[in-house]
Amino acid sequence: RKFLGYINHKKIQATNRNCEVTVDVRHDGSEPLVDVMFADGERLIMKGANLTTVEMLTALGSRCNAKELKEEKKSKRKSP
């Protein structure tokens, strides 16, 4: 829940208008799970029972940073 609170904060949402957050809350006793689907089709699945909020935010941030670097390298190769 804390992770979701941070992700849905106005300042965080303002950094990426293309980010869509969909929530599926279940009360069936299953383990908390965060499933992130990126625009390129890649997924990041984090099991909340084994991670802290900070670890989840760090994992998401590092994956996003890696994707940004990859895109920057790709665009530098294309531009003359």
Side-chain angles (χ1 to χ4, degrees):
R1 290 181 184 190
K2 287 182 183 179
F3 176 81
L4 185 58
Y6 286 116
I7 294 299
N8 277 327
H9 194 276
K10 283 188 234 179
K11 288 182 181 179
I12 300 298
Q13 290 290 319
T15 63
N16 188 348
R17 297 280 182 203
N18 296 326
C19 179
E20 180 182 325
V21 177
T22 305
V23 180
D24 179 14
V25 178
R26 298 182 184 175
H27 298 284
D28 61 1
S30 60
E31 145 179 46
L33 184 72
V34 175
D35 185 357
V36 180
M37 176 67 77
F38 293 95
D40 63 1
E42 187 178 341
R43 291 175 79 179
L44 171 63
I45 299 173
M46 299 181 280
K47 296 183 179 183
N50 301 325
L51 300 170
T52 66
T53 303
V54 172
E55 290 171 330
M56 294 170 82
L57 291 167
T58 302
L60 179 60
S62 64
R63 183 71 62 96
C64 290
N65 289 338
K67 288 185 173 298
E68 283 181 17
L69 287 173
K70 188 176 177 181
E71 283 298 316
E72 286 177 12
K73 286 180 182 179
K74 189 186 290 186
S75 65
K76 283 182 182 179
R77 281 189 232 139
K78 289 182 180 179
S79 48

